[in-house]
Amino acid sequence: MQFAALSSWLPTKNEPLVISGPCGAESPEQLLTTAKQLQELGRVALFRAGVWKPRTRPNAFEGRGEEALKWLAEVKKECGFQITIEVANAHHTELALKYGIDVLWIGARTTVNPFSVQEIADVLKGVDVPVMVKNPIHADLQLWIGGIERIYNSGITKIAAIHRGFHYYGKTKYRNKPMWQIPIELRTQFPDLPIICDPSHISGKKELIPFVAQKALDLGMNGLMIESHYNPSIALSDAEQQLTPKELDKLLSGLIIRQKKTGDAFVLDKLHELRNMIDEIDDELINVIKKRSQAIEQIGTYKKEHNITIFQLERWQEILRTRAQWAEKLGISRLHIERLCQLLHDESIKIQNDVMNK
Ligand code: PEP
Ligand code: MN
């Protein structure tokens, strides 16, 4: 897949792109008041609002539907924003196109369902409208890529991915755990696919948003989608995570924007030198791992000769405990070393297994 650059479909030269607006379109007044305040900031490129809200339980605020599309047309006229809304089925998509919505997005609850994504893609055949695809609710990169592919196969190249975190059943401070390795893997597989982070749905509460937004930028994400409402306390959905436009302004001002690349020869030179150092260290590391594997082979042979089982629980517990202690003494993260030991141990079992079966 080859994707169009973000700057080819959005009126923004500056990254990060900022998308903002309320979780849900509630009334013409709410939309216009919020949009005007956002417009004054001069840093929002795209105005978002949910017209149909996918709610976990029935009887919650499910959005105003088609009526809200007329209000959004008014926002576009009054404030000059391009507008983006969520579409979850063919009908939504047809209406969005009918009312001239500029950019569509597919929500997390829709990306999980290939039937729904496909019916949206079918409506979009031959239509030139950008589409942003949120990650599915659960941590399944293939399903995320599959959703993007379905849209791409309908002929659209103006596509962005939105990272909004993943449902996590265990204890976590996030509403949706970011699991940053997943968007990183997506970037690795599709380097030209723009990725936008949605810190609002990752955080679930205002206080966490700046931290998540900064992390997203530090990882080189291309934009932020942040929910805002002129008065979040009366919002009909996601009240705890919406910012006032003023709060959004403060948050954006506090972000450190790092350059993806530099043309400064001095900086490049220094970076090159530091990377050489890493190359040497990795070379050493691989040689050490080779030495370790050879020692493991000897242990495997010895165990075979003396008819001893490969896995020795006490030894494994001792390795984990001592290595974590050694790491801590050197100021290295315990967790990091425990993970590394796990990897080494898995390989060690495999090597010994091979020896036993020879
Ligand atoms: C939203 O953006 O308001 C929304 C419903 O998000 P998600 O699909 O990420 O839950
Ligand atoms: Mn929301």
PDB file of all heavy atoms in Angstrom, residues 267-283:
ATOM      1  N   VAL A 267      25.121  18.117  14.178  1.00  0.00           N
ATOM      2  CA  VAL A 267      24.233  17.203  14.915  1.00  0.00           C
ATOM      3  C   VAL A 267      24.289  15.813  14.284  1.00  0.00           C
ATOM      4  O   VAL A 267      24.400  14.795  14.975  1.00  0.00           O
ATOM      5  CB  VAL A 267      22.782  17.747  14.918  1.00  0.00           C
ATOM      6  CG1 VAL A 267      21.824  16.751  15.559  1.00  0.00           C
ATOM      7  CG2 VAL A 267      22.715  19.085  15.637  1.00  0.00           C
ATOM      8  N   LEU A 268      24.256  15.776  12.943  1.00  0.00           N
ATOM      9  CA  LEU A 268      24.280  14.491  12.240  1.00  0.00           C
ATOM     10  C   LEU A 268      25.572  13.719  12.514  1.00  0.00           C
ATOM     11  O   LEU A 268      25.572  12.511  12.714  1.00  0.00           O
ATOM     12  CB  LEU A 268      24.139  14.712  10.730  1.00  0.00           C
ATOM     13  CG  LEU A 268      22.731  15.049  10.258  1.00  0.00           C
ATOM     14  CD1 LEU A 268      22.736  15.418   8.785  1.00  0.00           C
ATOM     15  CD2 LEU A 268      21.794  13.859  10.503  1.00  0.00           C
ATOM     16  N   ASP A 269      26.653  14.474  12.560  1.00  0.00           N
ATOM     17  CA  ASP A 269      27.950  13.877  12.811  1.00  0.00           C
ATOM     18  C   ASP A 269      28.003  13.216  14.179  1.00  0.00           C
ATOM     19  O   ASP A 269      28.464  12.090  14.343  1.00  0.00           O
ATOM     20  CB  ASP A 269      28.993  15.004  12.737  1.00  0.00           C
ATOM     21  CG  ASP A 269      30.265  14.493  12.121  1.00  0.00           C
ATOM     22  OD1 ASP A 269      30.143  13.832  11.076  1.00  0.00           O
ATOM     23  OD2 ASP A 269      31.343  14.730  12.699  1.00  0.00           O
ATOM     24  N   LYS A 270      27.513  13.962  15.162  1.00  0.00           N
ATOM     25  CA  LYS A 270      27.514  13.466  16.545  1.00  0.00           C
ATOM     26  C   LYS A 270      26.633  12.217  16.643  1.00  0.00           C
ATOM     27  O   LYS A 270      26.999  11.221  17.271  1.00  0.00           O
ATOM     28  CB  LYS A 270      26.991  14.583  17.468  1.00  0.00           C
ATOM     29  CG  LYS A 270      26.951  14.229  18.919  1.00  0.00           C
ATOM     30  CD  LYS A 270      28.360  14.215  19.512  1.00  0.00           C
ATOM     31  CE  LYS A 270      28.357  13.544  20.872  1.00  0.00           C
ATOM     32  NZ  LYS A 270      29.694  13.188  21.314  1.00  0.00           N
ATOM     33  N   LEU A 271      25.467  12.280  15.983  1.00  0.00           N
ATOM     34  CA  LEU A 271      24.524  11.161  16.005  1.00  0.00           C
ATOM     35  C   LEU A 271      25.174   9.923  15.382  1.00  0.00           C
ATOM     36  O   LEU A 271      25.056   8.810  15.885  1.00  0.00           O
ATOM     37  CB  LEU A 271      23.270  11.557  15.216  1.00  0.00           C
ATOM     38  CG  LEU A 271      22.022  10.735  15.486  1.00  0.00           C
ATOM     39  CD1 LEU A 271      21.630  10.795  16.956  1.00  0.00           C
ATOM     40  CD2 LEU A 271      20.859  11.250  14.635  1.00  0.00           C
ATOM     41  N   HIS A 272      25.905  10.152  14.306  1.00  0.00           N
ATOM     42  CA  HIS A 272      26.587   9.080  13.618  1.00  0.00           C
ATOM     43  C   HIS A 272      27.593   8.408  14.552  1.00  0.00           C
ATOM     44  O   HIS A 272      27.681   7.184  14.632  1.00  0.00           O
ATOM     45  CB  HIS A 272      27.297   9.678  12.389  1.00  0.00           C
ATOM     46  CG  HIS A 272      27.882   8.653  11.495  1.00  0.00           C
ATOM     47  ND1 HIS A 272      27.106   7.785  10.763  1.00  0.00           N
ATOM     48  CD2 HIS A 272      29.172   8.335  11.225  1.00  0.00           C
ATOM     49  CE1 HIS A 272      27.896   6.969  10.093  1.00  0.00           C
ATOM     50  NE2 HIS A 272      29.153   7.283  10.344  1.00  0.00           N
ATOM     51  N   GLU A 273      28.308   9.247  15.282  1.00  0.00           N
ATOM     52  CA  GLU A 273      29.321   8.747  16.217  1.00  0.00           C
ATOM     53  C   GLU A 273      28.652   7.887  17.306  1.00  0.00           C
ATOM     54  O   GLU A 273      29.109   6.799  17.626  1.00  0.00           O
ATOM     55  CB  GLU A 273      29.980   9.982  16.842  1.00  0.00           C
ATOM     56  CG  GLU A 273      31.241   9.737  17.594  1.00  0.00           C
ATOM     57  CD  GLU A 273      31.681  11.046  18.242  1.00  0.00           C
ATOM     58  OE1 GLU A 273      31.750  12.072  17.536  1.00  0.00           O
ATOM     59  OE2 GLU A 273      31.915  11.045  19.469  1.00  0.00           O
ATOM     60  N   LEU A 274      27.547   8.406  17.844  1.00  0.00           N
ATOM     61  CA  LEU A 274      26.836   7.676  18.903  1.00  0.00           C
ATOM     62  C   LEU A 274      26.284   6.359  18.360  1.00  0.00           C
ATOM     63  O   LEU A 274      26.330   5.329  19.036  1.00  0.00           O
ATOM     64  CB  LEU A 274      25.691   8.524  19.463  1.00  0.00           C
ATOM     65  CG  LEU A 274      26.138   9.767  20.245  1.00  0.00           C
ATOM     66  CD1 LEU A 274      24.958  10.685  20.520  1.00  0.00           C
ATOM     67  CD2 LEU A 274      26.801   9.370  21.571  1.00  0.00           C
ATOM     68  N   ARG A 275      25.800   6.380  17.110  1.00  0.00           N
ATOM     69  CA  ARG A 275      25.253   5.148  16.524  1.00  0.00           C
ATOM     70  C   ARG A 275      26.352   4.119  16.282  1.00  0.00           C
ATOM     71  O   ARG A 275      26.120   2.914  16.424  1.00  0.00           O
ATOM     72  CB  ARG A 275      24.532   5.464  15.217  1.00  0.00           C
ATOM     73  CG  ARG A 275      23.180   6.076  15.509  1.00  0.00           C
ATOM     74  CD  ARG A 275      22.458   6.428  14.242  1.00  0.00           C
ATOM     75  NE  ARG A 275      21.105   6.858  14.512  1.00  0.00           N
ATOM     76  CZ  ARG A 275      20.389   7.603  13.690  1.00  0.00           C
ATOM     77  NH1 ARG A 275      20.905   8.002  12.543  1.00  0.00           N
ATOM     78  NH2 ARG A 275      19.165   7.929  14.007  1.00  0.00           N
ATOM     79  N   ASN A 276      27.550   4.601  15.936  1.00  0.00           N
ATOM     80  CA  ASN A 276      28.686   3.677  15.791  1.00  0.00           C
ATOM     81  C   ASN A 276      28.953   2.949  17.092  1.00  0.00           C
ATOM     82  O   ASN A 276      29.273   1.766  17.108  1.00  0.00           O
ATOM     83  CB  ASN A 276      29.952   4.439  15.388  1.00  0.00           C
ATOM     84  CG  ASN A 276      29.968   4.723  13.903  1.00  0.00           C
ATOM     85  OD1 ASN A 276      29.229   4.090  13.155  1.00  0.00           O
ATOM     86  ND2 ASN A 276      30.777   5.680  13.480  1.00  0.00           N
ATOM     87  N   MET A 277      28.800   3.709  18.176  1.00  0.00           N
ATOM     88  CA  MET A 277      29.019   3.126  19.491  1.00  0.00           C
ATOM     89  C   MET A 277      28.007   1.994  19.718  1.00  0.00           C
ATOM     90  O   MET A 277      28.359   0.904  20.165  1.00  0.00           O
ATOM     91  CB  MET A 277      28.811   4.233  20.532  1.00  0.00           C
ATOM     92  CG  MET A 277      29.584   4.065  21.783  1.00  0.00           C
ATOM     93  SD  MET A 277      29.649   5.672  22.613  1.00  0.00           S
ATOM     94  CE  MET A 277      28.045   5.759  23.341  1.00  0.00           C
ATOM     95  N   ILE A 278      26.748   2.270  19.366  1.00  0.00           N
ATOM     96  CA  ILE A 278      25.691   1.256  19.533  1.00  0.00           C
ATOM     97  C   ILE A 278      25.993   0.043  18.650  1.00  0.00           C
ATOM     98  O   ILE A 278      25.844  -1.104  19.091  1.00  0.00           O
ATOM     99  CB  ILE A 278      24.301   1.847  19.164  1.00  0.00           C
ATOM    100  CG1 ILE A 278      23.909   2.957  20.144  1.00  0.00           C
ATOM    101  CG2 ILE A 278      23.223   0.751  19.129  1.00  0.00           C
ATOM    102  CD1 ILE A 278      23.573   2.486  21.542  1.00  0.00           C
ATOM    103  N   ASP A 279      26.461   0.281  17.439  1.00  0.00           N
ATOM    104  CA  ASP A 279      26.786  -0.841  16.549  1.00  0.00           C
ATOM    105  C   ASP A 279      27.834  -1.742  17.191  1.00  0.00           C
ATOM    106  O   ASP A 279      27.713  -2.965  17.169  1.00  0.00           O
ATOM    107  CB  ASP A 279      27.342  -0.324  15.205  1.00  0.00           C
ATOM    108  CG  ASP A 279      26.253   0.306  14.354  1.00  0.00           C
ATOM    109  OD1 ASP A 279      25.068   0.147  14.710  1.00  0.00           O
ATOM    110  OD2 ASP A 279      26.586   0.968  13.352  1.00  0.00           O
ATOM    111  N   GLU A 280      28.846  -1.103  17.772  1.00  0.00           N
ATOM    112  CA  GLU A 280      29.909  -1.892  18.410  1.00  0.00           C
ATOM    113  C   GLU A 280      29.378  -2.678  19.602  1.00  0.00           C
ATOM    114  O   GLU A 280      29.693  -3.848  19.797  1.00  0.00           O
ATOM    115  CB  GLU A 280      31.043  -0.972  18.871  1.00  0.00           C
ATOM    116  CG  GLU A 280      32.011  -0.673  17.754  1.00  0.00           C
ATOM    117  CD  GLU A 280      33.025   0.403  18.137  1.00  0.00           C
ATOM    118  OE1 GLU A 280      33.402   0.466  19.316  1.00  0.00           O
ATOM    119  OE2 GLU A 280      33.400   1.185  17.234  1.00  0.00           O
ATOM    120  N   ILE A 281      28.556  -2.011  20.397  1.00  0.00           N
ATOM    121  CA  ILE A 281      28.006  -2.680  21.581  1.00  0.00           C
ATOM    122  C   ILE A 281      27.132  -3.866  21.165  1.00  0.00           C
ATOM    123  O   ILE A 281      27.230  -4.955  21.733  1.00  0.00           O
ATOM    124  CB  ILE A 281      27.188  -1.679  22.438  1.00  0.00           C
ATOM    125  CG1 ILE A 281      28.118  -0.610  23.015  1.00  0.00           C
ATOM    126  CG2 ILE A 281      26.451  -2.404  23.558  1.00  0.00           C
ATOM    127  CD1 ILE A 281      27.420   0.548  23.678  1.00  0.00           C
ATOM    128  N   ASP A 282      26.300  -3.669  20.137  1.00  0.00           N
ATOM    129  CA  ASP A 282      25.421  -4.759  19.687  1.00  0.00           C
ATOM    130  C   ASP A 282      26.241  -5.926  19.154  1.00  0.00           C
ATOM    131  O   ASP A 282      25.893  -7.092  19.361  1.00  0.00           O
ATOM    132  CB  ASP A 282      24.445  -4.258  18.613  1.00  0.00           C
ATOM    133  CG  ASP A 282      23.335  -3.424  19.227  1.00  0.00           C
ATOM    134  OD1 ASP A 282      23.276  -3.342  20.469  1.00  0.00           O
ATOM    135  OD2 ASP A 282      22.526  -2.841  18.474  1.00  0.00           O
ATOM    136  N   ASP A 283      27.336  -5.597  18.487  1.00  0.00           N
ATOM    137  CA  ASP A 283      28.217  -6.649  17.973  1.00  0.00           C
ATOM    138  C   ASP A 283      28.774  -7.477  19.143  1.00  0.00           C
ATOM    139  O   ASP A 283      28.760  -8.709  19.115  1.00  0.00           O
ATOM    140  CB  ASP A 283      29.353  -5.980  17.176  1.00  0.00           C
ATOM    141  CG  ASP A 283      30.213  -7.009  16.474  1.00  0.00           C
ATOM    142  OD1 ASP A 283      29.649  -8.008  15.999  1.00  0.00           O
ATOM    143  OD2 ASP A 283      31.448  -6.824  16.410  1.00  0.00           O
TER     144      ASP A 283
END
